[in-house]
Amino acid sequence: MTLTEKNLFNTLPLNPATLANLAQLGYLTMTPIQAASLPAALAGRDLIAQAQTGSGKTAAFGVGLLERLNPRRFAVQALVLCPTRELADQVAVEIRRLARALDNIKIVTLCGGVALRGQRASLENGAHIVVGTPGRVMDHLARGTLSLEALNTLVLDEADRMLDMGFFDDMATVIRQCPPERQTLLFSATYPDGIEKLANQFMRAPARITVVATVAECLIEQRFYEVTRATRLPTVAKLLNHFRPVSTLAFCNTRQQCKEVVAFLQKAGFSALTLHGDLEQRERDQVLAQFANRSVSVLVATDVAARGIDIKELAAVINVDITPDPELHVHRIGRTGRAGERGLGLSLASLDEMGAVGRIEQFQRQPSVWHTLEELAPTGSGPLLAPMVTLQILGGRKEKIRPGDVLGALTADAGFSREQIGKINVTDFTTFVAVQRDIALVALQKLNNGRVKGKSVKARLI
Ligand code: AMP
């Protein structure tokens, strides 16, 4: 999805301190569920939103309930019911982050499995927001240790799971003790019958919202390119020289295609490797170390081979082939854009793959954005080069080498700066150290002529 201005948080009527805090948290653009829910929530409407974990749903209700909160009123003004203690804890953490900019907002979690006494003391000290499981909240209401008289926002989070767990009656008991003029926000991944029952009994003309995308997906810009058999591989090279991503994971549907792509890219001067099932563990470790330390620009893999690779900071994912499985497509592109970074998901499709593209559009509920191959002029000077080079030291944990020893040999002894040295991976018998491309040869020489941990070592370029 291309990020448009209308998805910026600052288009909402929010407290300036909250806006500044959201920007500090790195939340600039709203996720689809936030863009769809927040205007209605801020206008005071009841809401039924279909959204899963990872969609940004906590902020979708959290920002709304904080906006209505009066910090100077020492009474419970918002209640979030969650199915489990784990979820309640997560929700409380996220609301605390969102509330950082506001005066002293007190959030209390009330879940089973924790002594009542401590919870009662926290409530006596004053709470603006309660996050809890239905059973325990009901318990406090029955004991008179919790009052919901001042409540203005009720959130039912993961309502389908609460119904699955048999909480309907407990929820109903709690909701009946909330003031009738409150706002009710219901979030659920699925819509079993019980959801309609809750809506009919306890909600007022709720706005209904359905969004499936996760936070990761909406920070990813997806572009599609139409290719033919003849233009497919050259287009991969053009994409690399145009966007110049530091690390790219390229997916193919078959191992044969992986081999052809790697051969093509290597011949064109890129540092590219493939990961396939025939590699021994040692070889696989070496490939992954080189990719993770940014001395290999492109890793080409099938979906099976890429399973279990966990590399953060992937600038781009290229689908050299479109996968026939739309869910797999979302998994593939979800590898980029992690940790709040923007990512690029580039997909090549020939005419006979258009059916699969259509299924992906349906699954993601968003149209694909097509770009022409003519746009892919090279940028920057010369072909894309990996910023680092890997040196291999013959010797590892068995020789008691530690990363600090290698770093010391290169900085203190050989005089390089910390910034010139990248990741250092020590395995049982060997050590990989990434160094900036321009110092690779000198660093190699210094390692071979110097000492690591008081011993001379053998090193080579890989
Ligand atoms: P949730 O679906 O509420 O569990 O949120 C998933 C993750 O996305 C949480 O770690 C949030 O901190 C993060 N998040 C929520 N909204 C945004 C946003 N607008 N921009 C970036 N990250 C967000």
Side-chain angles (χ1 to χ4, degrees):
M1 170 184 291
T2 336
L3 302 167
T4 53
E5 269 187 19
K6 73 177 192 323
N7 285 343
L8 293 174
F9 275 104
N10 64 15
T11 56
L12 295 174
L14 293 175
N15 182 329
T18 299
L19 281 175
N21 181 45
L22 287 168
Q24 242 184 16
L25 289 173
Y27 298 9
L28 295 173
T29 47
M30 292 185 265
T31 70
I33 188 72
Q34 291 161 357
S37 323
L38 277 169
L42 291 170
R45 278 198 71 176
D46 280 6
L47 212 65
I48 297 187
Q50 181 171 29
Q52 32 245 23
T53 303
S55 60
K57 66 183 166 69
T58 316
F61 60 75
V63 168
L65 69 83
L66 286 171
E67 205 60 28
R68 310 183 78 197
L69 209 71
N70 177 357
R72 281 177 297 281
R73 178 150 192 217
F74 293 98
V76 175
Q77 298 164 56
L79 168 67
V80 184
L81 289 180
C82 300
T84 62
R85 186 165 139 194
E86 289 72 41
L87 185 64
D89 286 336
Q90 276 174 38
V91 166
V93 166
E94 177 79 354
I95 297 182
R96 272 197 193 99
R97 277 152 49 86
L98 296 169
R100 278 193 320 199
L102 306 174
D103 288 342
N104 228 350
I105 304 278
K106 292 227 170 75
I107 304 170
V108 170
T109 52
L110 299 179
C111 301
V114 178
L116 279 163
R117 192 148 25 103
Q119 295 180 343
R120 194 171 56 214
S122 305
L123 289 168
E124 277 165 5
N125 285 333
H128 297 98
I129 302 170
V130 166
V131 184
T133 48
R136 183 51 70 96
V137 170
M138 196 171 72
D139 230 10
H140 280 283
L141 287 169
R143 287 164 195 264
T145 41
L146 171 68
S147 159
L148 297 177
E149 275 165 20
L151 191 96
N152 53 38
T153 315
L154 170 69
V155 180
L156 306 174
D157 193 13
E158 303 204 356
D160 50 350
R161 278 178 72 202
M162 291 199 279
L163 293 171
D164 277 349
M165 293 166 76
F167 281 144
F168 186 92
D169 291 337
D170 290 2
M171 286 156 79
T173 307
V174 173
I175 300 172
R176 286 199 190 95
Q177 300 199 40
C178 299
E181 63 280 9
R182 65 166 191 277
Q183 178 183 34
T184 308
L185 308 174
L186 181 153
F187 287 78
S188 193
T190 60
Y191 283 172
D193 292 343
I195 300 283
E196 262 333 285
K197 207 167 138 195
L198 282 173
N200 290 336
Q201 288 190 24
F202 302 113
M203 298 179 77
R204 286 175 309 180
R208 287 168 195 266
I209 285 159
T210 311
V211 178
V212 287
T214 64
V215 173
E217 285 153 42
C218 42
L219 289 169
I220 297 167
E221 177 171 358
Q222 286 206 62
R223 296 187 179 200
F224 286 75
Y225 298 86
E226 188 180 330
V227 295
T228 60
R229 184 195 281 268
T231 56
R232 193 181 297 266
L233 300 196
T235 302
V236 177
K238 282 186 178 172
L239 288 171
L240 293 169
N241 280 332
H242 180 73
F243 291 106
R244 306 186 80 78
V246 173
S247 302
T248 302
L249 189 55
F251 283 100
C252 301
N253 291 346
T254 63
R255 278 173 49 186
Q256 183 54 33
Q257 175 80 327
C258 288
K259 279 190 196 154
E260 286 172 25
V261 172
V262 160
F264 182 91
L265 291 178
Q266 288 179 343
K267 209 165 154 216
F270 294 96
S271 60
L273 290 175
T274 179
L275 202 62
H276 56 76
D278 289 348
L279 295 182
E280 286 176 28
Q281 188 60 37
R282 194 174 42 83
E283 295 167 310
R284 190 179 153 91
D285 288 347
Q286 178 167 335
V287 170
L288 286 176
Q290 286 174 270
F291 187 53
N293 73 18
R294 304 194 295 154
S295 62
V296 162
S297 308
V298 191
L299 187 62
V300 186
T302 59
D303 296 287
V304 175
R307 225 179 262 161
I309 305 181
D310 181 31
I311 289 176
K312 295 176 185 72
E313 300 170 42
L314 267 184
V317 163
I318 298 181
N319 293 306
V320 182
D321 302 316
I322 297 288
T323 162
D325 176 349
E327 205 173 329
L328 211 49
H329 176 86
V330 171
H331 279 293
R332 285 180 173 186
I333 63 146
R335 302 293 199 121
T336 173
R338 296 252 181 106
E341 291 289 316
R342 295 283 290 275
L344 206 50
L346 307 168
S347 301
L348 309 186
S350 58
L351 284 177
D352 55 354
E353 288 169 311
M354 292 303 167
V357 174
R359 284 194 295 279
I360 289 169
E361 290 185 327
Q362 273 184 348
F363 184 77
Q364 298 191 317
R365 303 191 197 190
Q366 70 187 41
S368 37
V369 177
W370 293 86
H371 285 255
T372 63
L373 300 185
E374 285 70 48
E375 287 174 23
L376 299 178
T379 54
S381 52
L384 176 72
L385 286 176
M388 311 299 276
V389 167
T390 301
L391 308 180
Q392 181 182 20
I393 298 169
L394 307 178
R397 265 193 293 270
K398 296 275 189 252
E399 283 73 31
K400 304 217 164 18
I401 291 181
R402 285 168 313 169
D405 304 325
V406 180
L407 188 63
L410 286 167
T411 53
D413 305 350
F416 294 114
S417 73
R418 178 69 192 92
E419 289 67 43
Q420 291 173 300
I421 316 299
K423 281 206 168 91
I424 300 172
N425 298 77
V426 183
T427 70
D428 279 349
F429 298 103
T430 189
T431 298
F432 302 109
V433 49
V435 298
Q436 283 183 357
R437 176 170 295 278
D438 54 345
I439 64 158
L441 290 175
V442 189
L444 180 67
Q445 215 178 16
K446 296 223 168 166
L447 277 177
N448 275 323
N449 296 336
R451 285 170 178 272
V452 174
K453 243 198 156 164
K455 282 195 228 120
S456 57
V457 290
K458 271 214 172 65
R460 64 180 189 111
L461 265 176
I462 55 172

